Amino acid sequence: MKKQLTFVLNGKKISVEAEADTLLLDLLRETLGLTGTKRGCGEGECGACTVLVNGETVNSCIYPAWKAEHSELLTVEGLGDRENPHPLQEAFLEQGAVQCGFCTPGMLVSAYGLLQKTPTPGTEEIKSALAGNLCRCTGYKKIIAAVKAASLKISQP
Amino acid sequence: MYRAYYRPKSVAEALALLQEGGGRARVLAGGTDLMLQLKKGELSCDAVVDISGVKDLRYIREEGGRLYIGALSTHTDLAESALLEKEAPLLAAAARSVGSLQIRNVGTVGGNVVNAQPAADTAVPLMALKAVATIVSPAGVRQVFLDDLYRPEGGVKLDPTCELLTEFSFVSPRAAGAGAAFGRVARRRALALPVFNTAVLLVPGAGRAFLTEARIVMGPVARLPLRARQGERVLLEQGAGEEIFLQAAAAASLEAAPRDSVFRGSARYRKKLARVIVYRTLLQAWENACSRVD
Ligand SMILES: Cc1cc2nc3c(=O)[nH]c(=O)nc-3n(C[C@H](O)[C@H](O)[C@H](O)COP(=O)(O)OP(=O)(O)OC[C@H]3O[C@@H](n4cnc5c(N)ncnc54)[C@H](O)[C@@H]3O)c2cc1C
Ligand code: FES
Ligand code: FES
């Protein structure tokens, strides 16, 4: 069973065909070519596949694509790009919060989700919001510092 | 994995779709358990009936001293509910301990119970709170105490290929003047399944000289969330107090029958852990009961 799914992706309304059992992660990466979102564990454990659905972080590797129909989706590509990076992306670079970079898209999306709700989070709030994002390079201190720096950039530019 | 995906808007529509599936269609709420089970081939179905769009199954409300929680409420809903924090904070705490934010945003309290893990973090406190589940099937609506929902050999007496769990309800421990608490130990402070968890409910009698009700539930120490009936008996016969709590916790740990586990630790260690954590949780529950302004 196939269906034409419509949703808002990174601010643009789009329509795309998907099989009933397509995972949101595969729809994004394979069908739509948005490879910023990563597949790590494929089991909800690592957060590399994190995207926002209606403002809430979800693991797209265990999220059916059809569940996302008519939702607003945000992937790391929606945050910013090389020319216009989001303050979070700038801060991650400036603070050295990126090592191999595999966890970074998920970290950025989780951090973005947090800042939307809590513009100036404390360390514990950041840790709790990022607890579902694992960094195998273990650069957590710099990641937390980067989220703090970005929150300051945004709240007092 | 499956051929069809439906998103019904009402309970009636969901039941009709399940019936059409003839046992090969299955309810999906958040999918945080089910998608993995389908991916790994532990379960199979031809059609998924995603009930997350069903209106009116996502709420937390209070009426006449009773709390009502829609089965589609997410762990995040429970964790952030001011009402729950006031009336039954142990359940909000339990929801906060589940997985990660990504999992809590999607996983539901109904799915947590129906998936029937013996240490399901919200099922353990719901059982301690004497929660009643409302189940809708083609034959009609029934209400079942969580105590009676579990099969002794594990699993629940509910068939997600033809029935829906719609609601949990229980007496607010605050309204009842009771003390309740949740305790949990895991290998990490986040994103780790419990090595041991427990929830207790203490209902004091007149002058707090005795207890009219005492419930201790523990997981994962059996095939289902386990009532520690001997531990409860100690409390009912002797009342509350540090010495009595020590005895009750010791009795409870004798009832716990954990298995040796590479991930969760040896059975011997976890029996000891049960005694310590049940004791601490009883103390906390009693403190909650006593700190109330009557
Ligand atoms: C990485 C990770 C970490 C986790 N950590 C924890 C944890 O710390 N503690 C914990 O307790 N759990 C944990 N879980 C398990 C899971 O997230 C929870 O059990 C969750 O509450 C399941 O809810 P769901 O809505 O996603 O259920 P689903 O996956 O949608 O469904 C689970 C089962 O229940 C049935 N079902 C669901 N809703 C209903 C309904 N209303 N009526 C009838 N049948 C229904 C489905 O058919 C299925 O069999 C974790 C899972 C993952 C992937
Ligand atoms: S790839 Fe989705 S959580 Fe790891
Ligand atoms: S930077 Fe390598 S996994 Fe985080």
Side-chain angles (χ1 to χ4, degrees):
Chain A
M1 188 159 140
K2 278 188 190 174
K3 187 178 187 180
Q4 203 69 26
L5 301 177
T6 45
F7 41 73
V8 176
L9 176 61
N10 297 331
K12 277 191 240 106
K13 193 168 173 183
I14 67 153
S15 183
V16 59
E17 193 177 68
E19 284 287 350
D21 63 353
T22 304
L23 295 165
L24 181 57
L25 176 64
D26 294 325
L27 186 77
L28 294 169
R29 287 182 58 88
E30 313 295 334
T31 314
L32 295 166
L34 293 177
T35 53
T37 308
K38 302 298 182 218
R39 178 197 309 279
C41 62
E43 298 188 352
E45 296 275 353
C46 76
C49 64
T50 304
V51 301
L52 291 189
V53 177
N54 296 326
E56 307 279 354
T57 53
V58 314
N59 295 127
S60 64
C61 68
I62 52 172
Y63 199 91
W66 286 33
K67 206 183 201 9
E69 201 186 3
H70 306 310
S71 303
E72 265 190 51
L73 305 181
L74 186 102
T75 68
V76 69
E77 287 89 351
L79 285 191
D81 55 27
R82 227 171 259 275
E83 283 69 46
N84 288 301
H86 186 272
L88 270 166
Q89 292 168 313
E90 285 175 352
F92 267 61
L93 291 176
E94 286 161 11
Q95 300 285 328
V98 182
Q99 295 183 61
C100 78
F102 199 79
C103 71
T104 311
M107 289 284 181
L108 285 167
V109 171
S110 281
Y112 180 84
L114 169 67
L115 295 187
Q116 292 297 102
K117 290 185 179 162
T118 313
T120 51
T123 305
E124 285 310 312
E125 284 169 303
I126 296 172
K127 281 189 184 173
S128 153
L130 298 183
N133 295 81
L134 304 189
C135 176
R136 288 301 301 265
C137 304
T138 69
Y140 293 108
K141 286 214 160 128
K142 300 205 166 178
I143 291 168
I144 292 164
V147 176
K148 273 200 185 147
S151 87
L152 292 180
K153 271 191 196 204
I154 298 167
S155 60
Q156 33 191 269
Chain B
M1 288 190 287
Y2 45 84
R3 285 198 294 274
Y5 196 96
Y6 301 105
R7 297 186 80 197
K9 290 268 179 286
S10 67
V11 170
E13 201 189 329
L15 288 177
L17 286 163
L18 290 169
Q19 200 143 26
E20 251 171 63
R24 294 293 302 160
R26 190 179 182 101
V27 173
L28 178 143
T32 58
D33 280 316
L34 187 59
M35 289 309 285
L36 280 176
Q37 289 156 350
L38 292 172
K39 268 174 117 173
K40 293 181 179 165
E42 293 166 6
L43 278 178
S44 77
C45 62
D46 294 336
V48 158
V49 178
D50 178 348
I51 56 171
S52 60
V54 172
K55 299 277 169 292
D56 307 329
L57 288 186
R58 191 172 170 184
Y59 53 83
I60 303 171
R61 57 174 172 254
E62 187 264 348
E63 218 183 290
R66 233 182 137 75
L67 285 166
Y68 298 85
I69 299 180
L72 288 180
S73 305
T74 64
H75 295 298
T76 297
D77 292 341
L78 267 55
E80 293 181 349
S81 162
L83 180 65
L84 213 53
E85 196 57 47
K86 178 168 156 247
E87 302 290 335
L90 75 161
L91 187 53
R96 272 194 289 275
S97 76
V98 171
S100 61
L101 185 58
Q102 290 94 322
I103 297 292
R104 293 193 295 277
N105 283 341
V106 178
T108 64
V109 62
N112 197 226
V113 169
V114 177
N115 198 52
Q117 285 301 308
D121 278 300
T122 56
V124 167
L126 280 170
M127 194 191 266
L129 290 164
K130 266 173 95 173
V132 172
T134 302
I135 298 166
V136 184
S137 74
V141 181
R142 67 181 192 277
Q143 302 215 302
V144 187
F145 275 111
L146 241 53
D147 283 333
D148 304 323
L149 186 65
Y150 287 88
R151 298 177 195 280
E153 69 274 20
V156 285
K157 297 174 200 158
L158 181 162
D159 182 356
T161 67
C162 62
E163 301 180 308
L164 285 186
L165 198 162
T166 56
E167 182 180 82
F168 298 101
S169 80
F170 54 87
V171 174
S172 157
R174 192 195 64 85
F182 176 70
R184 185 186 204 261
V185 173
R187 302 216 309 178
R188 294 185 298 254
R189 275 200 295 168
L191 195 52
L193 291 172
V195 165
F196 180 78
N197 63 6
T198 183
V200 306
L201 176 75
L202 303 175
V203 186
R208 299 203 183 99
F210 58 97
L211 296 169
T212 58
E213 189 152 18
R215 290 169 68 89
I216 303 173
V217 181
M218 311 180 288
V221 294
R223 293 207 169 88
L224 68 171
L226 187 74
R227 287 271 307 280
R229 291 179 193 271
Q230 299 307 318
E232 292 173 0
R233 215 173 70 192
V234 171
L235 298 169
L236 287 173
E237 283 172 358
Q238 302 189 43
E242 282 187 27
E243 281 304 316
I244 301 166
F245 291 159
L246 275 175
Q247 278 181 47
S253 94
L254 286 178
E255 292 171 84
R259 287 178 301 189
D260 286 317
S261 156
V262 180
F263 301 107
R264 291 181 155 144
S266 68
R268 193 163 149 262
Y269 163 70
R270 286 197 291 149
K271 273 177 98 79
K272 286 194 173 168
L273 194 63
R275 194 179 64 205
V276 174
I277 303 304
V278 168
Y279 171 64
R280 286 185 194 162
T281 310
L282 284 168
L283 278 181
Q284 199 198 321
W286 188 242
E287 207 177 286
N288 295 347
C290 297
S291 65
R292 292 245 156 78
V293 216
D294 307 83

